Amino acid sequence: MAEAVDGSAWGFNQLEFNELLASVRGFEKEDFDDREDFALSKTESLERFGPAISEEAIDQAIRERVPEKTRKTTAWAMSVFRTWFRTRGVAGSVDELSEDGLAELLPRFIMEARRQDQNPYPPRTVMQLVAGIQRSFRETSLPGLSIFGDKDARFARTRSALDAQMKRLTREGIGTETKQAQPLSPDQEDELWKRGIFSLNSGWGLTNAVFWYNCKLFGLRGGDEHRNLMREQLEVDHDKQGRFLRFKGRNSKNVQGGLKHRKVEFKDLKIYARPELGERCVVDLYNHYFGFVPQSGPFY
């Protein structure tokens, strides 16, 4: 059995340190660069590393590891909480709250939170508010905060209040109507080709087509994933089965490539050519598009 290690000496709470330690111990040999390091001369070892980095740059990199949308949601949740805190005349400062103080206030906040038009938030939004508050305090003054975990009895009342409020709002029909874009039917997709909105004969139509198939075939969603898409992630190649379009995934909203995602494989998809579809064969479509853009750099 591995010897227990106290993480407090490095500024971690024990739960976070155990998770980190498990991740490090779990690295397999192939995860590492197997080039020989120990044969380097003293001169070579001094030149091998990048330029010195400032503490500010490290802090910036740590902040940027969190997706922008998540950062905005966290800031919004804390803004709502600060406004409630101020209007209720709670003594002290939000930033100086202890876990006990937060546990005392959150049940009231959950029950009283309202939108700016004074209407109730939908159930999922109430949960997002609490999750955003937890993220904010974890990143600042309370790194070990665990509102949703069953092990911290101090937040049992908070969890019960959240559960009760979400159930009440659902019974009242608040937030039960899901608003989402409906996928295009085959007939609608066919109509877009017929009307020239998808087309190989114009730059506008060609861009529309590859944008749509990037969503349909490779699951790209949101502006960030399209903006971050690089030309070198897609290529046309061939094997014994024929010509194909290959897509190699990178970071996305749900796969960031960090410690928690190191064993999650990125997408690697092949779409084989169907010549019988003519100009609508996606392999030919993308190959045609590739003729108008550089081989590396942004896809669009």
Side-chain angles (χ1 to χ4, degrees), residues 13-183:
N13 67 59
Q14 195 60 39
L15 178 61
E16 288 179 333
F17 186 77
N18 289 343
E19 291 177 351
L20 178 60
L21 192 61
S23 296
V24 173
R25 286 173 173 166
F27 278 121
E28 299 174 355
K29 183 177 180 181
E30 57 266 27
D31 288 325
F32 294 92
D33 188 339
D34 59 3
R35 290 176 293 182
E36 182 58 68
D37 279 342
F38 302 104
L40 294 175
S41 68
K42 184 175 182 180
T43 302
E44 289 172 324
S45 66
L46 290 174
E47 295 175 350
R48 63 177 291 188
F49 298 107
I53 189 169
S54 67
E55 292 297 323
E56 292 77 10
I58 294 173
D59 291 339
Q60 180 68 17
I62 291 173
R63 286 192 296 270
E64 290 178 352
R65 85 191 192 283
V66 180
E68 182 181 1
K69 186 174 182 181
T70 302
R71 293 199 300 270
K72 289 181 177 179
T73 302
T74 301
W76 159 77
M78 281 304 297
S79 175
V80 176
F81 185 57
R82 289 179 190 279
T83 302
W84 175 86
F85 188 93
R86 185 175 60 254
T87 58
R88 288 296 183 261
V90 181
S93 167
V94 169
D95 299 318
E96 296 175 355
L97 282 173
S98 65
E99 292 185 347
D100 289 333
L102 194 59
E104 181 181 349
L105 293 175
L106 279 177
R108 288 179 53 202
F109 170 74
I110 288 167
M111 295 296 184
E112 297 176 4
R114 296 292 186 274
R115 304 188 320 184
Q116 289 186 359
D117 61 6
Q118 298 184 343
N119 287 316
Y121 285 109
R124 286 179 59 85
T125 305
V126 177
M127 184 174 68
Q128 289 169 355
L129 280 168
V130 179
I133 292 168
Q134 175 175 264
R135 283 195 302 270
S136 180
F137 276 99
R138 279 181 171 179
E139 293 169 1
T140 52
S141 57
L142 302 174
L145 182 63
S146 181
I147 295 173
F148 296 98
D150 293 337
K151 293 182 179 180
D152 195 334
R154 289 174 296 184
F155 291 97
R157 193 162 185 260
T158 297
R159 294 189 290 272
S160 296
L162 179 60
D163 183 58
Q165 181 71 339
M166 292 178 69
K167 288 177 178 177
R168 184 184 69 80
L169 293 169
T170 301
R171 285 196 304 270
E172 295 176 1
I174 297 171
T176 56
E177 295 182 5
T178 303
K179 297 180 180 179
Q180 62 181 17
Q182 298 299 317

